[in-house]
Amino acid sequence: MALSADYPRFTLGSALTAEQRAFFAKYGFLHFRPFASPEHVRQILQATQEVQAKWLAEGVEKVNGVPIKYGHDVDGSRIVQRFAFASQHHPVLHELLQDDRFKALFPLLEAEGGRVGENEKDGLVVNHYVNVPGSEFSQMGWHTDSLRDVFYGKRIGPMLNVGLHLDGTKATNGGLRVIPGTHRQGLHKMLFRKKYYKDVYYDPNEMAIETEPGDLTVHDGRMWHRVAQSPLVGEESRRRVMYVPIISGKYQPKSEDSPTPFYLRFLHLVK
């Protein structure tokens, strides 16, 4: 579905406008600027550093059944490259998810009982991409977020994936790519249009989402998207983004006794 790179960047208020809802219905995503102030972004990054230090010291391998992905930074130090349920481990991150503006997104589910999934699925995920030797996370291949429902034999439920971008990312430095309109595709194309996670290549229909620190994006869970690897190496390739699901339906919180979801047993293959 054709869409110009100068698509509108919106402002998220207490309720979505008719224009914003129409754009999402057609293309499957929205881009808000700014959502978090520079000072708030700094506080969030500091909070993730504190959680990382604690998990490194304690040797945390899983949180609520979800594996934690470790790798190495530009200086060779060990870092967390994929956090799960991060908001359960720091008050600044928990407070972030209490922002009333998230409620404005609930109508996009077109279902009753919308909520921020702080304690469900993988909770608040922090992805830390860096392109250096020893990094275990520099890109993520094509996928949809609805595949997990298929794995468990469930009907695909409405889901939004909401991302808070903590670094500015130009299209020339990798970053989020989406294929607009694929949220309305049939089940066959959702399952087989791409090879999940293994296909990391450019698609002529993809759209690069260029972000500034503090931007918020939201995309439909059925939409095909990927994270392109930065062609740069080292500090310039760094990209940090937080994702939290907005969902509806039966409340299904995770706990320390939760088993590892089947699809996450292959997380080590995503590099």
Side-chain angles (χ1 to χ4, degrees), residues 68-87:
I68 304 306
K69 193 174 185 69
Y70 291 91
H72 292 86
D73 208 341
V74 295
D75 61 357
S77 62
R78 197 161 184 248
I79 58 173
V80 178
Q81 295 202 260
R82 187 181 191 271
F83 301 68
F85 296 100
S87 68

Side-chain angles (χ1 to χ4, degrees), residues 49-194:
Q49 290 286 327
E50 292 172 7
V51 175
Q52 173 178 273
K54 185 173 186 291
W55 287 2
L56 284 168
E58 296 177 355
V60 174
E61 295 183 358
K62 294 181 180 180
V63 177
N64 297 340
V66 178
I68 304 306
K69 193 174 185 69
Y70 291 91
H72 292 86
D73 208 341
V74 295
D75 61 357
S77 62
R78 197 161 184 248
I79 58 173
V80 178
Q81 295 202 260
R82 187 181 191 271
F83 301 68
F85 296 100
S87 68
Q88 295 182 358
H89 297 268
H90 202 288
V92 168
L93 304 181
H94 171 70
E95 184 63 27
L96 167 67
L97 300 187
Q98 313 314 307
D99 193 309
D100 281 341
R101 288 175 293 177
F102 286 117
K103 296 178 182 177
L105 302 173
F106 293 176
L108 297 177
L109 291 169
E110 298 181 349
E112 297 294 327
R115 61 187 179 274
V116 175
E118 182 174 13
N119 305 311
E120 301 173 84
K121 296 186 182 293
D122 296 353
L124 179 66
V125 169
V126 184
N127 290 333
H128 186 169
Y129 301 96
V130 61
N131 189 18
V132 294
S135 171
E136 291 294 317
F137 217 16
S138 64
Q139 65 181 326
M140 184 177 289
W142 286 107
H143 63 286
T144 74
D145 299 316
S146 296
L147 183 66
R148 65 189 70 188
D149 288 343
V150 177
F151 265 122
Y152 290 104
K154 299 178 181 179
R155 180 181 177 184
I156 295 173
M159 172 190 170
L160 308 174
N161 211 353
V162 180
L164 178 58
H165 301 261
L166 305 175
D167 294 290
T169 305
K170 296 293 185 182
T172 52
N173 194 21
L176 180 62
R177 304 289 195 267
V178 302
I179 303 181
T182 52
H183 64 305
R184 296 300 186 192
Q185 66 195 335
L187 179 61
H188 185 271
K189 285 190 175 181
M190 197 198 82
L191 293 176
F192 301 112
R193 179 173 184 148
K194 305 280 188 184

Side-chain angles (χ1 to χ4, degrees), residues 233-246:
V233 176
E235 185 62 38
E236 292 178 305
S237 70
R238 192 180 309 281
R239 178 177 179 271
R240 292 159 293 188
V241 59
M242 318 177 81
Y243 282 103
V244 69
I246 287 181

